């Protein structure tokens, strides 16, 4: 249910409404394309704060046994940022940026603790399906609220469009808060590695020491290191497809309404395929299932070079929907199965950092090829290197060996 809760922020605010509202309302008085430039800065600042904070906080949560409590703190931060966006008026781009950063940091860091709970609540044989169910539920929840927002905006007069977006910000915050309650009530707090009653200053020192130890220990988890290398490559490719897909659609002449509708449909098509990937993993294993998802993404990056019509754009969107949920679910469950439970907070903190910093490379490569060739088609084609490299490294990961080592740690 937490996937259901926080996916509303990812779909309605990050993907659709905040960029639109920032450029057209909050940054309305900024000259030329400065609103778009500042929007990029805002995304980068939020990314940087989350990346720096995640590993330290993940380690602290492991030590203290506070994964669920820390998740709660950042849920409240994210919900507060979402609701405060309602109070952003015309020309108030600084206020908009600050409130969005609060919401996005809350969203990103809370996910570190949420993912870290997975190995504590799932048995070894259930971890793939539980992860898949979480993603499927998230696509349903996020897609449902986005559908309500889109239908509402289509029905209201044009002069009420921006006020309704502001109300949408509040609804996302309340939705996120309400559907986090089941996790708070039903999921137990995993025990910490060190039972201690310490002051905050000491816990910071202990956490930094533990982080240094973890970096040294990674040499003993060679399979995890290989998995992380593969993960960094293919998640950068996936993230770039998602980030640049809308701009690519606009460039080739796809109507904005159609692009939003494709995003909405992706949410719902991803649901059954998340379950399908979970079931498939039970038969052939998470790693082989991940091969399928990444191969679909590879075909998308090649096929994008030949897109010319709205139908082609729909086909690309459906391909993303098929691969998206299952790939993310198998990545989460495979990673969780390969690490000691008591290090789950540290692990997902490090993963968060790696993904966020590596995520800079994909858009740069995409933009570079698009600039050199004069077309984003070749920008998509350049992303094949991430999926080919990720697949090749993933074939070298010995999952059974990693699982045995994690259980014996």
């Amino acid at each position: 249910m937490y996937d259901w809760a926080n996916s509303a922020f990812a779909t309605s605010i990050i993907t659709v409404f905040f960029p639109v509202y920032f450029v057209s309302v909050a940054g309305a008085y900024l000259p030329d394309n400065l609103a778009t430039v500042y929007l990029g800065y805002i995304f980068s600042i939020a990314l940087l704060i989350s990346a720096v904070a995640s590993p330290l906080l993940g380690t602290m949560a492991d030590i203290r046994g506070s994964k669920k409590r820390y998740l709660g703190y950042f849920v409240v931060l994210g919900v507060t940022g979402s609701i405060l966006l309602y109070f952003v008026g015309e020309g108030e781009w600084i206020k908009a940026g600050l409130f969005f950063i609060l919401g996005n940091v809350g969203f990103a860091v809370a996910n570190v603790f949420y993912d870290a709970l997975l190995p504590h609540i799932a048995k070894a044989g259930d971890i793939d399906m539980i992860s898949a169910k979480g993603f499927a539920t998230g696509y349903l929840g996020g897609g449902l609220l986005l559908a309500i927002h889109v239908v509402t905006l289509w029905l209201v007069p044009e002069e009420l469009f921006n006020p309704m977006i502001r109300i949408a910000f509040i609804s996302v915050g309340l939705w996120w808060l309400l559907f986090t309650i089941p996790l708070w009530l039903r999921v137990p707090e995993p025990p910490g590695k060190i039972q201690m009653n310490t002051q905050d200053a000491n816990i910071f020192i202990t956490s930094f020491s533990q982080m240094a130890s973890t970096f040294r220990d990674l040499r003993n988890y060679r399979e995890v290191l290989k998995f992380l290398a593969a993960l960094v490559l293919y998640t950068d490719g996936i993230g770039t497809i998602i980030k640049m897909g809308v701009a690519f659609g606009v460039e080739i002449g796809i109507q904005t309404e159609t692009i939003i509708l494709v995003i909405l449909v992706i949410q719902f098509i991803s649901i059954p395929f998340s379950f399908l990937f979970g079931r498939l993993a039970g038969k052939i294993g998470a790693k082989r299932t991940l091969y399928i998802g990444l191969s679909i993404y590879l075909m998308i990056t090649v096929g994008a070079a030949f897109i010319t019509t709205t139908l082609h754009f729909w086909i690309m969107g459906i391909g993303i929907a098929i691969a998206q949920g299952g790939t993310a679910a198998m990545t989460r469950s495979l990673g969780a199965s390969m690490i000691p439970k008591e290090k789950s907070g540290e692990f997902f903190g490090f993963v968060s950092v790696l993904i966020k910093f590596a995520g800079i490379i994909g858009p740069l490569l995409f933009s570079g090829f698009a600039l050199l060739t004069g077309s984003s088609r070749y920008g998509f084609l350049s992303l094949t290197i991430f999926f080919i490299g990720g697949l090749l490294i993933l074939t070298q990961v010995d999952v059974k060996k990693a699982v045995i080592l994690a259980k014996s740690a």
Side-chain angles (χ1 to χ4, degrees), residues 161-188:
F161 187 86
N162 288 331
M164 288 306 299
I165 289 182
R166 292 170 63 201
I167 293 174
F169 293 146
I170 291 181
S171 69
V172 167
L174 296 178
W175 179 284
W176 187 356
L177 184 65
L178 175 65
F179 291 107
T180 302
I181 292 175
L183 184 149
W184 283 331
L185 293 180
R186 300 300 301 271
V187 177

Side-chain angles (χ1 to χ4, degrees), residues 191-308:
K193 289 188 291 187
I194 303 173
Q195 299 299 323
M196 62 187 340
N197 184 14
T198 183
Q199 299 298 317
D200 286 342
N202 290 333
I203 193 67
F204 270 104
I205 293 171
T206 305
S207 297
F208 274 114
S209 175
Q210 184 62 47
M211 285 173 60
S213 175
T214 299
F215 274 120
R216 292 192 297 269
D217 288 346
L218 279 175
R219 291 175 297 181
N220 301 321
Y221 296 92
R222 294 179 60 85
E223 305 310 314
V224 174
L225 281 174
K226 287 187 280 187
F227 173 69
L228 288 176
L231 181 148
V232 165
L233 283 173
Y234 69 71
T235 53
D236 197 4
I238 293 170
T240 305
I241 290 174
I242 303 303
K243 290 172 186 172
M244 305 308 296
V246 172
F248 174 66
V250 172
E251 179 185 311
I252 64 175
I254 308 298
Q255 292 185 341
T256 304
E257 293 82 358
T258 299
I259 293 172
I260 293 176
L261 187 59
V262 170
I263 293 171
L264 182 60
V265 169
I266 285 173
Q267 303 301 310
F268 291 101
I269 295 180
S270 295
I271 296 167
F273 282 99
S274 294
F275 284 112
L276 179 62
F277 272 63
R279 290 186 179 278
L280 193 59
K283 296 180 178 180
I284 66 174
K287 191 173 84 165
R288 288 176 179 166
T289 307
L290 196 52
Y291 289 157
I292 297 173
L294 296 179
S295 297
I296 294 172
Y297 273 120
L298 180 59
M299 288 188 286
I300 289 170
T301 58
V302 175
F306 303 97
I307 289 178
T308 56

